[in-house]
Amino acid sequence: MPRVWSLLLLWGLVTPCQGLLETVGTLARIDKDELGKAIQNSLVGGPILQNVLGTVTSVNQGLLGSKGLLGGGGLLSYGGIFRVVQELSGLKVDELTLPKISLKLLPAFGVQLSLHTKVGLHGSGPLGGLLQLAAEVNVSSRVALGMSSRGTPILVLKRCSTLLGHISLLSGLLPAPLFGVVEQMLFKVLPGLLCPVVDSVLGVVNELLGAVLSLVPLGTLGSVEFTLATLPLISNQYIELDINPIVKNVAGDIIDFPKHPVPVKVPPKEDHTSQVTVPLYLFNTVFGLLQTSGTLDIDITPELVPSNVPLTTTHLAALVPEALGRLPPGQHLVLLLRVKEAPSVTLQNKKATVSIPANIHVLPYVPQGTPEALFELNGVVTLSAQLAASATKLHISLSLERLNVKLTSSFSHAFDASHLEEWLSDAIRAAYVPKLNVALDVGIPLPKILNVNFANSVLEIIDNAVVLTVVS
């Protein structure tokens, strides 16, 4: 009959909220399949099962020795009627079938984990020759969820016991009366062999859970530190983690940009999928770091634009002749674009938009020296943001959507600055947008959750957040 290892994980005593992200944190919903894969991978990829193979049960050592079944002068001791049992010495574990895993999440309680396996042993038989046995096993364990000194979730093995099922004699001779003795022997041996396997599995899973709390660099801008805002919550399909992203600049100071006051309504998670919600706050914080570091400023010189985007007084005269004053035609111009306020990101109607408030000075291009500006404009550079996920990051690529400018001062005469918008847009598209996209290579880090890979995730822009969904 099939045998089961049953793990009861006392995970959370509260069910997840009904689709509202009340804080600015990153909400992660991890499907039970991902937990099952993490446990399965710990058994397949590591030495946990291999460490059990070759384990010896002997007369002089271990559970059959002087302190075990054959010791102490009892019924099974050297002076007892089953003295022949000493010939069973030297049994070795030569096979441990890879467990088959099934999970059941228990809302407001925990997780029940079942692993099915079979143990194979061989050694010397009591009547001589090779003895090969196979035993089906049921190991039941209770595991409590606690909190480590680092503030990470940790699973602690509290109780472990085994139940034997069918024992098969694969080769060799074993008299029928000795089957009961073999059963008692295995009943003593298997907890010592298999309960450490459960503990080792929990150790691997705890490392993966601990990786949620991590410090991820943001290139030269700073870093994002992920911490848990609350204890994990649990439903019948997924585990929910409310992860608090703490953004720091390169000096280590915490950056606290304004947060959106309205809770995010997170869409329901479908079965067999995992979900991470990235809040608007993280987008605004990254662009805020770019602004405070001066990365959003640029001097657009003639060398930075193609020949079809002429930065000359000749072209400017054709658009707004009153702006030139006494400057002769054919002279090169330079555009000084400065961002003195933090950009704003909008996530609405399945679209991501970035608005950068810019101050633009237009002045003659002099390689050495600082000439006086012809005029000064205030404007808003509006860019469309294309989002894509990799295994560990959410990447942003910008394209110019529109530019709106107004004249704030002029060296000569006032004019309608809207006539310059197309010309300035060509220059910004050619020189400024590529610089922005290089700066955005840092991306927005995603928390590490049980090694979930979001490279092939489905991305959905909702109001004030982005949701990444990956099939388990």
Side-chain angles (χ1 to χ4, degrees):
M1 69 180 189
R3 291 302 178 181
V4 179
W5 297 354
S6 180
L7 286 164
L8 187 61
L9 311 185
L10 306 177
W11 206 299
L13 299 180
V14 184
T15 55
C17 58
Q18 300 301 312
L20 288 182
L21 180 55
E22 297 288 348
T23 68
V24 297
T26 299
L27 189 69
R29 291 172 171 174
I30 309 304
D31 192 81
K32 65 178 183 179
D33 294 346
E34 292 296 340
L35 180 60
K37 284 196 291 187
I39 294 172
Q40 186 79 40
N41 291 339
S42 71
L43 294 170
V44 174
I48 295 176
L49 297 182
Q50 287 76 8
N51 289 341
V52 178
L53 301 181
T55 304
V56 179
T57 61
S58 67
V59 171
N60 296 320
Q61 298 177 356
L63 294 168
L64 296 182
S66 60
K67 296 182 180 180
L69 287 172
L70 301 181
L75 181 64
L76 301 182
S77 69
Y78 290 112
I81 61 173
F82 289 114
R83 182 178 179 182
V84 70
V85 172
Q86 64 182 297
E87 300 297 335
L88 290 172
S89 64
L91 278 178
K92 294 183 178 181
V93 178
D94 61 3
E95 182 182 6
L96 188 61
T97 302
L98 182 65
K100 296 180 180 179
I101 296 172
S102 61
L103 276 172
K104 181 180 180 182
L105 303 188
L106 308 175
F109 184 70
V111 182
Q112 183 171 307
L113 171 66
S114 299
L115 299 89
H116 305 262
T117 192
K118 182 184 289 186
V119 179
L121 305 99
H122 77 275
S124 301
L127 303 180
L130 180 66
L131 184 68
Q132 288 185 308
L133 301 170
E136 294 178 348
V137 189
N138 181 351
V139 180
S140 297
S141 302
R142 282 184 176 253
V143 180
L145 176 69
M147 193 68 70
S148 72
S149 59
R150 294 176 51 237
T152 62
I154 184 171
L155 300 172
V156 182
L157 183 62
K158 293 296 186 180
R159 189 172 67 191
C160 181
S161 61
T162 60
L163 294 176
L164 281 177
H166 180 67
I167 300 175
S168 303
L169 178 62
L170 303 180
S171 67
L173 297 175
L174 186 64
L178 292 182
F179 260 96
V181 176
V182 171
E183 186 176 22
Q184 291 185 54
M185 178 194 72
L186 294 179
F187 180 78
K188 286 283 187 177
V189 169
L190 292 177
L193 297 181
L194 300 181
C195 288
V197 170
V198 176
D199 216 9
S200 297
V201 167
L202 295 179
V204 174
V205 176
N206 282 335
E207 288 185 11
L208 296 176
L209 289 173
V212 171
L213 306 191
S214 58
L215 185 67
V216 183
L218 276 173
T220 60
L221 300 176
S223 61
V224 177
E225 182 179 1
F226 292 107
T227 63
L228 280 185
T230 62
L231 285 174
L233 307 178
I234 195 165
S235 76
N236 61 352
Q237 285 296 326
Y238 60 88
I239 298 163
E240 183 173 289
L241 303 177
D242 188 358
I243 302 171
N244 181 31
I246 301 174
V247 182
K248 300 179 181 180
N249 61 21
V250 70
D253 301 322
I254 295 177
I255 304 301
D256 190 17
F257 284 95
K259 302 170 179 62
H260 201 277
V262 180
V264 175
K265 186 175 181 180
V266 182
K269 189 193 80 66
E270 297 182 359
D271 292 348
H272 309 295
T273 64
S274 292
Q275 190 182 75
V276 165
T277 301
V278 182
L280 175 65
Y281 164 76
L282 268 182
F283 289 85
N284 283 327
T285 302
V286 169
F287 278 94
L289 284 173
L290 290 171
Q291 185 267 323
T292 56
S293 66
T295 307
L296 299 183
D297 298 339
I298 189 174
D299 294 350
I300 303 178
T301 61
E303 294 86 1
L304 296 180
V305 296
S307 58
N308 62 344
V309 184
L311 295 183
T312 65
T313 53
T314 301
H315 190 77
L316 184 62
L319 298 173
V320 283
E322 58 267 45
L324 286 179
R326 298 180 180 179
L327 280 179
Q331 187 170 348
H332 290 298
L333 300 171
V334 62
L335 311 178
L336 304 185
L337 188 151
R338 299 293 181 264
V339 180
K340 298 180 180 180
E341 298 178 13
S344 63
V345 181
T346 303
L347 299 174
Q348 284 183 339
N349 301 321
K350 299 183 179 182
K351 183 179 179 180
T353 304
V354 181
S355 298
I356 301 179
N359 180 262
I360 302 174
H361 294 256
V362 180
L363 59 157
Y365 180 49
V366 179
Q368 294 181 347
T370 306
E372 187 175 357
L374 295 176
F375 53 88
E376 180 181 343
L377 307 169
N378 278 342
V380 177
V381 183
T382 303
L383 304 114
S384 177
Q386 292 77 45
L387 307 178
S390 65
T392 59
K393 291 182 179 181
L394 183 60
H395 298 273
I396 306 172
S397 178
L398 301 177
S399 59
L400 182 64
E401 189 172 292
R402 64 182 179 275
L403 171 68
N404 300 104
V405 293
K406 292 183 179 180
L407 181 68
T408 57
S409 65
S410 174
F411 180 77
S412 55
H413 302 285
F415 58 89
D416 185 358
S418 64
H419 296 308
L420 298 176
E421 288 177 350
E422 184 177 354
W423 173 63
L424 292 171
S425 294
D426 290 339
I428 287 173
R429 190 176 291 109
Y432 189 48
V433 174
K435 179 186 177 182
L436 294 179
N437 285 329
V438 170
L440 288 170
D441 279 345
V442 295
I444 295 179
L446 300 174
K448 299 176 182 177
I449 308 166
L450 293 180
N451 283 337
V452 175
N453 187 335
F454 288 94
N456 297 318
S457 60
V458 176
L459 191 148
E460 180 182 3
I461 299 174
I462 63 175
D463 288 352
N464 303 317
V466 173
V467 180
L468 283 71
T469 302
V470 61
V471 178
S472 301

